[in-house]
Amino acid sequence: MKKLFYILSIVCLITVVNSCKKSGGDINPLSSYKNFGIGSYLVLDSTISQNLNYASLATSTVGVIVHQYPNGEAITSITVFVVPGSSYDTTQWKKLKRLIMPVHKLQLQ
């Protein structure tokens, strides 16, 4: 009985070990940076103003100067959101405007 148990255990172990093997050329996704996608990145050059005065919206302005990271994908548009205070909760964000990215350097104001 013990002999049958040992043989069955070895067969099961060999089956499990062989089933976990991956086949194909490059089986490690971390072996090359080419296995990852390229993203789109904005780089902040400078800020003109970061706070919008809600009490005087007619005269209040905000602005930043950004450029596109040169080794990333092309940026087609930028969506600007506003939020009261500073919150990472995206349910509180309100869409302000969507800008088409015409050039590699853009001043948002």
Side-chain angles (χ1 to χ4, degrees), residues 43-109:
V43 179
L44 178 65
D45 291 334
S46 64
T47 59
I48 299 167
S49 173
Q50 293 181 345
N51 297 321
L52 183 66
N53 187 357
Y54 187 75
S56 61
L57 287 175
T59 59
S60 181
T61 61
V62 294
V64 293
I65 298 174
V66 295
H67 74 273
Q68 179 178 338
Y69 184 71
N71 293 330
E73 295 256 337
I75 296 175
T76 57
S77 66
I78 300 169
T79 306
V80 181
F81 293 92
V82 295
V83 64
S86 58
S87 174
Y88 292 110
D89 183 12
T90 57
T91 60
Q92 295 180 356
W93 295 3
K94 303 293 182 214
K95 184 177 177 181
L96 186 64
K97 67 165 82 172
R98 183 172 178 248
L99 303 166
I100 305 299
M101 186 74 170
V103 292
H104 292 300
K105 192 162 190 166
L106 182 66
Q107 180 172 342
L108 304 173
Q109 210 171 16

Side-chain angles (χ1 to χ4, degrees), residues 2-61:
K2 280 186 174 182
K3 190 175 185 180
L4 181 63
F5 178 72
Y6 287 134
I7 291 174
L8 188 59
S9 297
I10 291 174
V11 168
C12 288
L13 183 64
I14 291 172
T15 305
V16 168
V17 169
N18 284 334
S19 67
C20 293
K21 285 186 179 179
K22 295 184 180 179
S23 60
D26 190 13
I27 59 173
N28 185 2
L30 302 176
S31 65
S32 174
Y33 69 93
K34 293 179 181 178
N35 293 336
F36 298 110
I38 298 174
S40 299
Y41 305 100
L42 281 178
V43 179
L44 178 65
D45 291 334
S46 64
T47 59
I48 299 167
S49 173
Q50 293 181 345
N51 297 321
L52 183 66
N53 187 357
Y54 187 75
S56 61
L57 287 175
T59 59
S60 181
T61 61

